[in-house]
Amino acid sequence: GKPAEYVQIELDALDQNTAFNPAGKVIGTYTPFDTTVTEDSLQPYNEVFDIQRFRECELIHGRWCMLATLGAVVAELSTGVSWVDAGKIELEGSQYLGFGLPFDLRTLVIIEVLLM
């Protein structure tokens, strides 16, 4: 884990009319030792997910994004339909590689929901 320490400081003098405002003193510190997510923590995910875990998740999401972009480009090249117009074309009639599909839009949505 990574060390984290929080410092509690008292208020400054906060008197704008004086020439010198002494800074507040340290009145306490807090070092969390928990490795579970709680509502009482100052940073609920700090103890469980460190920067390495967030970096790993970001890489995974980036790879899924690249795969989705490749899928959109391949679908556009194989059907000749731009991804922008795909919904409009789908409402006119279901086709794949120029062949009509025996499904209406409602059936395709149901199939897609079930496969997810």
Side-chain angles (χ1 to χ4, degrees):
K2 57 185 175 180
E5 182 177 66
Y6 302 98
V7 180
Q8 183 179 4
I9 300 175
E10 67 182 3
L11 291 175
D12 297 339
L14 298 176
D15 187 3
Q16 64 183 2
N17 296 322
T18 61
F20 176 72
N21 282 322
K25 297 181 179 120
V26 175
I27 57 175
T29 61
Y30 172 71
T31 305
F33 293 106
D34 295 334
T35 58
T36 58
V37 177
T38 63
E39 294 178 4
D40 299 331
S41 177
L42 296 174
Q43 290 180 321
Y45 296 104
N46 187 31
E47 295 86 14
V48 179
F49 303 118
D50 59 351
I51 191 71
Q52 295 295 329
R53 176 65 180 150
F54 286 133
R55 183 178 294 154
E56 178 185 347
C57 290
E58 189 65 27
L59 282 173
I60 290 171
H61 292 146
R63 290 173 182 160
W64 277 112
C65 180
M66 289 186 280
L67 187 63
T69 304
L70 177 66
V73 170
V74 168
E76 186 173 323
L77 292 176
S78 64
T79 61
V81 177
S82 170
W83 66 271
V84 176
D85 298 327
K88 181 174 63 174
I89 300 297
E90 190 63 41
L91 288 174
E92 293 174 358
S94 303
Q95 290 187 357
Y96 183 73
L97 296 176
F99 299 105
L101 296 175
F103 306 116
D104 61 345
L105 183 62
R106 181 173 180 250
T107 307
L108 286 176
V109 169
I110 291 172
I111 291 171
E112 183 175 345
V113 168
L114 290 176
L115 291 178
M116 290 172 73

